[in-house]
Amino acid sequence: MLLIVLYITVLTSSAVFVEPSPHDALMGVLAVICVVTGVRFDRNFVPMFLFLLVWNIAGLMSLLNVPDQEKTLQYSGTSIYLAIAAVIWACLFAENTMMRLATVRKAYILTAVIAALAGITGYFSMFPHAHEWFAHDERALGAFKDPNVYAPFLIWPILTLLERMLARRITLSDVAATALLLTALLLAFSRGAWFHFALSCAVMIVLALLTAPTQKARLRVIVLSALTLGALVAFLAILLTLPAVATMFKERAHLIQYYDVGQGGRFRLQELALAAVLEFPNGMGPFGFARVHVTQQHNVYLQAFLVYGWTGAMAYILLIFSTLLIGFRTVFMRAPWQPYIITAYAAFVGEVAEGFVIDSDHWRHFYLLLGMIWGLGAATSKYVCRQRVVGKQLPSGHTPAATLLRIPAINGLKQASGSSSVSTQASTPFQNGIRRPLSRLARHSCIIPSER
C-alpha cells in the first residue's frame, strides 16, 4: 500500500497548475500511510528538523508585519507544508531504501516525460489550445505555472538517466526519455535552469569518476561523457534549425536581459533588498518587499532574510550547508544506492546555485531532494555500521567506513549481489585527501537504532 501511494504521489508532482495541487493532497495521504505502516523518524534528522522548525517559526513571527492579508497566511502555510514534506521524504528513504528509491525514480521519470511531452506539444501548438495550456510567452511550462520552476523539475530525472548510461548500460528507452526531457528543458528557455543543469552534470560526472571502482569504469565515464557532450551539441544544433526555436534561443541566450538592469532591474532590486535586510532584522513578511518595490528580488537567500528575518535566514542557510555536508560525506560511502545519492546531490548543488537568481523556497522538488539526501545519509550510516558490526566482506584489519572510503564504488553492485571480492584499486590523491576526515565522520555517526 505504501509503495502504491508513494508512486501515485510522485506521479502527480508535475501537475501543479492549481494550488493546492493534487500532489499536495496526496502528500497528506502519504503522511497518514507512513504513520499507519510504522515509518519512523530517525535521530539523524534532528538537525534538519530543528533548522526547518526555527525557519518556519520565524516566518510565522514575520506575519506580524503584514496582518490581515490572506495571501501571506497561505505563503506561511505552504512553507510549513513543504518542511513537513521534507521530513516525510527523509523518513521514507532511511528504511527499505532501494525499494522506495526505485519506486520514486520510476514515477518521477514517467511524470517528467509526461510534463516534457506537454511542454513540447504546447510550444509547437500541436493540437488546439495546446499552446494556451502548456506554454506561455513562447516558453514551454507543461502543467506548471512558471517555466522557471518547470525546467529545474526536469533536471534530476535527466541526471538519473545520464548516470545510468554513463556508469552501467545504455538502452533505447533511456536515450529516448533523455532526448525528450532535454528538449523540454531547452524549450523552457530558463537561463537559470540551463546553468543549473550544466553545473549539476559537471558535479555528477566528477563524483562518478571519483567513486568509480576500477580504472575501466573511470575510462567508461570519461569516454561516454565526451561522447554525450558531442551528442548534446549535435542535438542542440538540430533543434536550432527550427525557426521557432532559433529565434527564442537567440533572444534568451544572452547573459544579461533587459529586465536584469536599469532602475527596476533584477540587480538593482537585489541592491535594495540588501539595504532592506539591514533595516528589517525581523523580516518584512511574505511579499513585504514586493509591496514596496512592485516585484520580488529573485534571490532565495535575500528572500530568506526579507521574509523570515535574520533568525529564519540563518536557520535556512545552516540547513543548506548541513545538507551539502551530509551529501558530500555520503556520496563517498559505498552502498547499493550510491548512484541515487550522487544524482540527488548533484541536482541539489545546482538548485543551491540557482537560488542566487531565483526564489526557490517553495519548489516541491527542492524538498524532495533535500529529504532524499538526509534520508540516504541516515540509511548509508546504518548500512556502513551494520557491515562493520557483522564484518561482512571486509579485509582483515580494516573498519567498514575506512574500507568503503578507500575503495569507493559507483553503486556497490558487488556487495549488493553477494560477491566476496573487493577491489584493491589504488586510491586517487583526492580520495587520499578526504579519506581520513570522512572516515572519522563515519565512525562518529555509527549509531544504529534497534532493528525493526
Side-chain angles (χ1 to χ4, degrees):
M1 175 62 74
L2 175 60
L3 293 180
I4 294 173
V5 175
L6 178 61
Y7 186 89
I8 297 173
T9 300
V10 176
L11 191 63
T12 59
S13 61
S14 64
V16 291
F17 53 90
V18 294
E19 289 187 5
S21 68
H23 171 77
D24 299 331
L26 284 168
M27 280 299 299
V29 177
L30 180 62
V32 172
I33 297 296
C34 286
V35 172
V36 171
T37 56
V39 175
R40 298 189 182 184
F41 182 86
D42 193 284
R43 71 183 69 181
N44 289 298
F45 304 149
V46 170
M48 176 186 69
F49 176 79
L50 290 177
F51 293 143
L52 289 169
L53 181 64
V54 172
W55 183 41
N56 279 281
I57 289 176
L60 290 174
M61 295 296 293
S62 75
L63 291 177
L64 296 175
N65 299 318
V66 284
D68 303 325
Q69 296 195 32
E70 181 179 349
K71 196 174 180 182
T72 60
L73 292 173
Q74 181 183 355
Y75 185 97
S76 295
T78 301
S79 297
I80 294 171
Y81 151 67
L82 290 171
I84 295 171
V87 175
I88 292 173
W89 292 124
C91 293
L92 280 169
F93 294 129
E95 298 177 330
N96 298 327
T97 305
M98 283 304 296
M99 188 177 298
R100 293 171 183 173
L101 280 172
T103 301
V104 169
R105 182 185 188 278
K106 291 176 183 176
Y108 201 140
I109 290 176
L110 177 57
T111 196
V113 168
I114 293 171
L117 287 171
I120 293 168
T121 56
Y123 187 84
F124 291 109
S125 301
M126 291 184 176
F127 59 85
H129 302 292
H131 191 275
E132 176 186 349
W133 293 342
F134 303 126
H136 180 68
D137 290 337
E138 304 305 322
R139 298 173 66 184
L141 50 69
F144 285 72
K145 294 192 292 185
D146 186 347
N148 293 317
V149 182
Y150 167 69
F153 173 83
L154 303 174
I155 291 177
W156 184 67
I158 295 175
L159 294 180
T160 62
L161 291 167
L162 287 175
E163 189 279 333
R164 182 160 66 180
M165 289 189 285
L166 292 178
R168 289 181 296 287
R169 66 180 186 275
I170 301 174
T171 65
L172 185 60
S173 60
D174 283 353
V175 173
T178 303
L180 280 172
L181 294 173
L182 287 172
T183 302
L185 178 63
L186 173 67
L187 297 181
F189 292 104
S190 171
R191 295 171 299 156
W194 293 347
F195 169 76
H196 173 179
F197 173 67
L199 176 60
S200 294
C201 272
V203 172
M204 181 193 71
I205 291 170
V206 169
L207 292 177
L209 283 171
L210 293 174
T211 57
T214 64
Q215 290 287 3
K216 182 179 179 181
R218 279 189 282 275
L219 181 62
R220 175 190 171 93
V221 172
I222 293 171
V223 171
L224 289 181
S225 295
L227 292 175
T228 301
L229 179 60
L232 286 175
V233 172
F235 186 62
L236 177 61
I238 292 171
L239 288 176
L240 291 179
T241 61
L242 303 173
V245 178
T247 301
M248 192 64 180
F249 182 81
K250 184 178 180 180
E251 177 185 335
R252 296 291 300 174
H254 295 290
L255 182 62
I256 304 297
Q257 295 288 331
Y258 69 92
Y259 51 77
D260 292 324
V261 295
Q263 190 62 29
R266 184 197 305 261
F267 301 140
R268 175 58 180 162
L269 286 171
Q270 291 182 355
E271 291 178 9
L272 295 172
L274 284 171
V277 166
L278 300 175
E279 186 178 353
F280 298 94
N282 294 324
M284 302 175 68
F287 312 110
F289 184 82
R291 276 192 299 275
V292 177
H293 301 284
V294 181
T295 187
Q296 292 291 97
Q297 72 292 324
H298 301 297
N299 181 308
V300 73
Y301 307 105
L302 291 175
Q303 174 92 338
F305 281 98
L306 293 171
V307 175
Y308 303 89
W310 291 10
T311 302
M314 292 309 299
Y316 181 77
I317 292 171
L318 287 172
L319 173 67
I320 297 300
F321 273 110
S322 60
T323 304
L324 290 173
L325 177 61
I326 291 290
F328 184 75
R329 185 194 72 169
T330 306
V331 294
F332 293 103
M333 294 184 179
R334 188 177 185 177
W337 46 82
Q338 195 174 33
Y340 290 94
I341 186 62
I342 287 174
T343 56
Y345 186 74
F348 187 78
V349 169
E351 300 252 325
V352 170
E354 191 178 0
F356 285 99
V357 295
I358 198 168
D359 303 327
S360 56
D361 55 323
H362 280 180
W363 289 3
R364 293 168 179 83
H365 64 274
F366 174 87
Y367 292 89
L368 170 59
L369 293 173
L370 180 76
M372 186 179 295
I373 291 172
W374 282 88
L376 294 183
T380 302
S381 292
K382 290 186 286 187
Y383 178 82
V384 168
C385 295
R386 190 175 296 113
Q387 296 297 86
R388 178 181 175 185
V389 169
V390 301
K392 183 179 179 180
Q393 300 181 358
L394 294 178
S396 175
H398 290 80
T399 65
T403 303
L404 294 172
L405 290 166
R406 174 174 175 269
I407 314 172
I410 197 67
N411 61 353
L413 288 177
K414 291 184 178 181
Q415 196 156 11
S417 63
S419 171
S420 60
S421 62
V422 178
S423 171
T424 58
Q425 183 69 36
S427 300
T428 66
F430 180 84
Q431 292 164 356
N432 287 330
I434 65 169
R435 186 190 308 159
R436 290 189 180 88
L438 291 180
S439 296
R440 286 196 295 270
L441 281 169
R443 286 196 297 273
H444 293 329
S445 64
C446 192
I447 303 173
I448 308 178
S450 58
E451 294 295 330
R452 301 176 177 87

